[in-house]
Amino acid sequence: MSGLRDSLQQLRARLGPGPRSFLAWWSQALASWLPARWRVLLGLTRDRLLFQRDGEELRMAWQEGAQRHELARLPATVTGDDLRALLGTRLAELPRWWLLPAGSALRRRLLLPAAAADRLRDVVRFELDRQTPFRAEDVCFDARVLGRREDGQLETELVAVPRTGFDAELAQLGPLSAELAGADVADAEGLPLGVNLLPPEARASRQASGRGLHLALAAVALGALVLGAWLILDNRRAAADAFAAQVSGRAEQARRVSAQRQQLTDLVAGMTALNKARADRPTTVEVMDEVTRRLPDNTYLEKLSIEGDRLMLIGFSPEASGLVARLEGSPLWRSPALSGALQPDPRTRLDRFTLTAELVGTRNATPAAAPAPGDADGAGRD
């Protein structure tokens, strides 16, 4: 067994990994999903014509899957044209195999490593001289996998026939020998074992009837499938783009609503602050009432104006210089002062004055008592 492993490693190092077994498995797996009638139409089944030597005649059978149908007995001189005329196009174009009798081949069971599955025929070639009394050049051989053990090793069977007898039997088939796709060996029930003893260079490659058309139709179907998948994907992308645009529009609308809400919040806050400021500031009526109570009766106002926090009084009074003292101490304003010089009015013989003050009082403040006229006079005399 160690010598077999060494030979296998040498073979794999020289040949490298082969994709053919994987491609064959992959194609068979894909074909298994198709209906049986489609597999027959596309030439994906393993149907074949079997020929056996029976004296001076050839027995012809049709292998359909695991079933074998006997068709006819033919002379050994039958040709491909005779088969087409006899069977029709479909059966005549099936691969043609030579089926050897059950006892004509040497069969040996071998236990091989799992790595030998990819290159089974090449691995078995190294075992021919140890498993049979022949050299590889002297036999036509093949191998098949019987099963896989739990430890991963393969249970295989080597099938070999002497090349001299094989070539002699092959020559007796006449014109059909050049059209054979393979040579198999019958088991005890008359069904093929599943090996191909025909050398690769002598195998004829045949296609089922209309296979080119069928492959073209399969290619068209595959193209339609790809196109349909692409259209579905394109529709999904378009739907995703539309959804993204919708989400973007909703997000923009939400941002505008948020900005408007913020503006409304700021406006409400401003109005609240303005109302609070107005609530803290005395009203015009309160200011006029306070001014009326603090000015003497002989004083006349020409103008009273409130601009923001600034109070301005313009009028005539014989006691203009003492008005500042009368206005001081009010809770509604502060810093009363004369603005500019007093101007005597020759018509009224009164002094024209301009007074300013800064409003700081509150509406709820209790006005201070206005100074008495005597106090104002005393203050003026001082």
Side-chain angles (χ1 to χ4, degrees):
M1 183 61 67
S2 61
L4 176 59
R5 290 194 181 97
D6 296 339
S7 301
L8 177 60
Q9 293 177 357
Q10 295 176 3
L11 178 65
R12 291 178 64 86
R14 187 177 63 188
L15 297 179
R20 298 183 61 184
S21 59
F22 170 76
L23 292 177
W25 168 83
W26 184 62
S27 61
Q28 292 174 9
L30 290 179
S32 64
W33 288 85
L34 297 175
R37 182 175 178 82
W38 285 28
R39 293 198 299 269
V40 172
L41 291 176
L42 294 175
L44 300 177
T45 61
R46 295 190 176 183
D47 293 6
R48 52 184 174 175
L49 293 177
L50 302 177
F51 294 89
Q52 286 181 286
R53 183 78 178 181
D54 188 6
E56 298 298 328
E57 294 181 333
L58 295 178
R59 294 170 52 193
M60 181 177 62
W62 171 24
Q63 182 184 359
E64 184 182 15
Q67 298 180 354
R68 175 175 172 174
H69 309 283
E70 296 292 337
L71 296 180
R73 287 178 175 269
L74 305 172
T77 57
V78 66
T79 62
D81 295 336
D82 298 334
L83 291 178
R84 278 186 288 272
L86 177 64
L87 301 175
T89 304
R90 179 179 177 275
L91 288 179
E93 293 298 329
L94 290 177
R96 300 166 188 174
W97 281 65
W98 177 27
L99 188 61
L100 281 72
S104 62
L106 177 65
R107 300 167 61 179
R108 291 285 187 274
R109 287 180 174 265
L110 302 176
L111 190 61
L112 300 177
D118 294 338
R119 302 285 184 178
L120 185 59
R121 181 181 173 87
D122 297 320
V123 172
V124 171
R125 180 186 294 272
F126 287 92
E127 293 294 309
L128 279 173
D129 55 349
R130 285 188 288 185
Q131 300 294 334
T132 68
F134 308 103
R135 297 180 305 172
E137 296 79 9
D138 298 333
V139 294
C140 295
F141 70 95
D142 199 3
R144 61 171 182 159
V145 177
L146 300 178
R148 186 182 295 269
R149 298 175 56 177
E150 294 181 357
D151 57 0
Q153 290 186 314
L154 300 177
E155 295 183 359
T156 63
E157 184 179 40
L158 167 64
V159 182
V161 296
R163 183 176 293 272
T164 54
F166 183 86
D167 292 340
E169 291 288 337
L170 188 63
Q172 294 181 7
L173 293 179
L176 288 180
S177 60
E179 301 181 4
L180 293 178
D184 207 337
V185 179
D187 58 11
E189 298 179 357
L191 294 176
L193 292 177
V195 296
N196 192 352
L197 303 177
L198 194 66
E201 63 275 5
R203 300 173 187 176
S205 177
R206 307 184 65 84
Q207 293 183 342
S209 175
R211 188 172 184 178
L213 177 60
H214 299 152
L215 291 178
L217 293 177
V220 171
L222 181 61
L225 180 62
V226 173
L227 179 60
W230 181 84
L231 289 177
I232 293 175
L233 180 60
D234 186 67
N235 291 338
R236 291 291 182 269
R237 288 176 177 172
D241 294 341
F243 180 73
Q246 183 179 4
V247 170
S248 178
R250 294 292 177 84
E252 182 64 25
Q253 183 179 2
R255 284 192 291 268
R256 290 198 300 267
V257 171
S258 178
Q260 293 174 358
R261 182 180 294 124
Q262 185 62 37
Q263 292 177 0
L264 181 59
T265 302
D266 296 340
L267 180 60
V268 171
M271 292 296 295
T272 303
L274 181 60
N275 292 334
K276 185 176 182 302
R278 287 179 177 178
D280 294 339
R281 185 179 301 171
T283 63
T284 303
V285 174
E286 292 173 336
V287 172
M288 292 177 65
D289 179 67
E290 182 75 4
V291 170
T292 302
R293 290 189 299 104
R294 286 182 175 271
L295 291 179
D297 294 339
N298 57 0
T299 299
Y300 307 94
L301 290 180
E302 181 183 23
K303 180 180 180 181
L304 186 151
S305 67
I306 298 176
E307 296 179 359
D309 295 337
R310 187 170 179 268
L311 170 65
M312 185 172 65
L313 302 176
I314 301 176
F316 300 91
S317 176
E319 306 174 13
S321 58
L323 296 179
V324 174
R326 285 182 170 273
L327 294 178
E328 287 181 348
S330 173
L332 303 183
W333 58 72
R334 66 184 176 185
S335 303
L338 288 171
S339 178
L342 298 176
Q343 301 175 0
D345 186 7
R347 184 177 58 85
T348 61
R349 296 180 182 182
L350 299 176
D351 293 332
R352 192 173 190 273
F353 64 88
T354 301
L355 275 170
T356 60
E358 182 181 355
L359 295 176
V360 295
T362 60
R363 296 179 60 182
N364 298 326
T366 303
D375 295 341
D377 295 341
R381 286 194 298 269
D382 291 340

